[in-house]
Amino acid sequence: MKIERELMRGAGPTAVLHLLSNRAMYGYELVEALDARTDGVLAMGQSTLYPMLYNLEAKGLIEAEWQAADNGRERKYYSLTGKGRKKLKADLEQWNNLAGALTALGIIRGAPA
């Protein structure tokens, strides 16, 4: 199922920040993780991900560092900053409140009507 653009604008950055809260990752690795871990629901192409990464970096939420990969090639790894951790915590609180409200309304599957 493909998520509409407006919903993805909110969910995408939060998902990326969450993945980076565990460890530094490079762009294609993020694309693969978003696809695999969400069964394609939050899948996004590199043309969507990289502008998002640049935006998050410009806001000081993530930082990038070039590192040599196992094959000797350089890859740009992204990691969460302290500011990014605070933003992720605030975003997760908002998402949890929203999910709770939707559950209370019976909108989320498995919730009482």
Side-chain angles (χ1 to χ4, degrees):
M1 170 184 215
K2 187 164 177 128
I3 302 296
E4 289 183 28
R5 182 178 298 203
E6 288 303 313
L7 289 174
M8 188 61 116
R9 278 193 182 136
T14 303
V16 168
L17 292 176
H18 174 70
L19 287 174
L20 293 177
S21 72
N22 297 314
R23 64 182 176 89
M25 300 173 84
Y26 58 93
Y28 186 71
E29 188 177 20
L30 284 164
V31 167
E32 291 291 306
L34 286 166
D35 185 28
R37 292 181 63 182
T38 68
D39 291 326
V41 173
L42 293 180
M44 62 180 78
Q46 293 181 42
S47 62
T48 301
L49 178 69
Y50 282 102
M52 182 186 301
L53 290 172
Y54 300 144
N55 184 285
L56 293 171
E57 188 175 11
K59 291 178 179 178
L61 303 175
I62 63 172
E63 57 191 3
E65 179 184 6
W66 288 96
Q67 296 178 15
D70 293 338
N71 62 8
R73 293 182 58 193
E74 292 278 312
R75 286 190 176 138
K76 196 176 203 180
Y77 281 81
Y78 297 90
S79 59
L80 214 51
T81 63
K83 184 177 178 181
R85 288 191 189 285
K86 288 178 186 172
K87 173 71 170 148
L88 176 59
K89 182 179 178 183
D91 287 356
L92 291 176
E93 185 175 325
Q94 289 184 66
W95 278 107
N96 285 324
N97 287 337
L98 177 60
L102 294 174
T103 300
L105 289 171
I107 294 172
I108 295 180
R109 274 187 244 151

